[in-house]
């Protein structure tokens, strides 16, 4: 006699986006284990995307060939857009998800808070006073462009606040880790709400 096992939910998506500025493929599994293959050409950005996979428990493959001979702007913004499109596709009709997620994450002196709502309405409120322009070859200003692209295409409301921080690497890392944790909570299936779309409107 075999023991029946519950079907394993696999919310997956693959999105390719090609423009004159960037060529990107994102593959993800929202119900993964956190393994990733990342190649954007910007080392620190790969390090941040790895945080999303690891702490979001999302399997994430991102390959990007961008116009880095100009700067990192198109690469970072367009990866945010494509990741947002992939999450939107993988999450489907949002039945049974918790919808809201939030997390505080510290790293030594730095502390950030991220709150996310799979509202269907794109919005970003971000307050991160970076103490340095560049973090390795990553321009810290592009953090905003990444999350703007993500929010617009995942159709989420996103509030990001760095509450404390001296080291810019720490500031960025706490933002990306808190984002990952908030994302994971919001996308988690609520056993008390199986098959229900978490909105009084009946759709999100
Ligand atoms: Mn680090």
């Amino acid at each position: 006699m075999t023991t029946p096992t519950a079907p394993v939910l696999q919310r997956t998506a693959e999105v390719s986006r090609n423009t004159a500025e960037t060529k990107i493929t994102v593959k993800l599994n929202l119900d993964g284990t956190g393994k990733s293959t990342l190649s954007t050409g910007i080392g620190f950005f790969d390090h941040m995307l790895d945080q999303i996979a690891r702490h979001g428990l999302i399997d994430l493959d991102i390959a990007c060939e961008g116009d880095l001979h100009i700067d990192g702007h198109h690469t970072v913004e367009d990866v945010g857009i494509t990741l947002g499109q992939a999450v939107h596709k993988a999450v489907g009709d949002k039945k049974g998800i918790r919808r809201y997620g939030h997390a505080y994450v510290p790293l030594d002196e730095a502390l950030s808070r991220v709150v996310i709502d799979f509202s269907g309405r794109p919005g970003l409120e971000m307050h991160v006073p970076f103490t340095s322009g560049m973090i390795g070859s990553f321009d810290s200003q592009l953090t905003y462009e990444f999350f703007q692209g993500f929010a617009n295409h995942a159709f989420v409301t996103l509030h990001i606040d760095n509450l404390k921080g001296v080291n810019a690497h720490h500031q960025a890392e706490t933002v990306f880790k808190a984002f990952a944790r908030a994302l994971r909570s919001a996308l988690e299936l609520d056993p008390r709400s199986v098959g229900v779309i978490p909105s009084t409107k009946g759709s999100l």
Side-chain angles (χ1 to χ4, degrees), residues 139-156:
D139 181 351
S140 63
Q141 283 192 331
L142 299 181
T143 310
Y144 184 89
E145 305 306 319
F146 173 80
F147 285 113
Q148 183 74 77
F150 179 87
N152 282 344
H153 292 270
F155 296 89
V156 296

Side-chain angles (χ1 to χ4, degrees), residues 178-198:
F179 171 70
R181 278 296 187 129
L183 194 58
R184 176 177 157 189
S185 309
L187 292 174
E188 214 166 51
L189 294 167
D190 183 345
R192 294 184 61 197
S193 193
V194 175
V196 175
I197 294 169

Side-chain angles (χ1 to χ4, degrees), residues 87-154:
V87 167
H88 180 65
K89 195 172 168 186
V91 79
D93 63 10
K94 303 176 193 170
K95 272 185 185 157
I97 67 167
R98 293 192 190 275
R99 176 178 169 179
Y100 303 101
H102 69 272
Y104 286 83
V105 169
L107 198 177
D108 297 343
E109 89 298 344
L111 176 67
S112 294
R113 178 187 61 217
V114 174
V115 183
I116 192 167
D117 175 12
F118 274 78
S119 58
R121 295 188 303 280
L124 174 65
E125 276 291 326
M126 180 169 147
H127 304 279
V128 181
F130 279 110
T131 58
S132 171
M134 297 302 288
I135 309 168
S137 62
F138 178 81
D139 181 351
S140 63
Q141 283 192 331
L142 299 181
T143 310
Y144 184 89
E145 305 306 319
F146 173 80
F147 285 113
Q148 183 74 77
F150 179 87
N152 282 344
H153 292 270

Side-chain angles (χ1 to χ4, degrees), residues 31-53:
D31 302 291
T33 57
K35 56 178 188 262
S36 63
T37 307
L38 307 161
S39 57
T40 65
I42 304 171
F44 185 76
F45 187 39
D46 287 349
H47 182 43
M48 293 301 99
L49 295 170
D50 194 19
Q51 307 305 327
I52 296 176

Side-chain angles (χ1 to χ4, degrees), residues 20-79:
E21 295 170 343
T22 59
K23 299 195 190 322
I24 300 172
T25 298
V26 172
K27 290 183 215 170
L28 58 75
N29 179 0
L30 298 178
D31 302 291
T33 57
K35 56 178 188 262
S36 63
T37 307
L38 307 161
S39 57
T40 65
I42 304 171
F44 185 76
F45 187 39
D46 287 349
H47 182 43
M48 293 301 99
L49 295 170
D50 194 19
Q51 307 305 327
I52 296 176
R54 188 70 51 89
H55 297 285
L57 292 181
I58 294 168
D59 292 343
L60 187 60
D61 290 357
I62 300 181
C64 174
E65 284 177 43
D67 53 2
L68 294 177
H69 59 284
I70 297 174
D71 67 6
H73 195 115
H74 304 138
T75 292
V76 175
E77 181 179 13
D78 292 358
V79 166

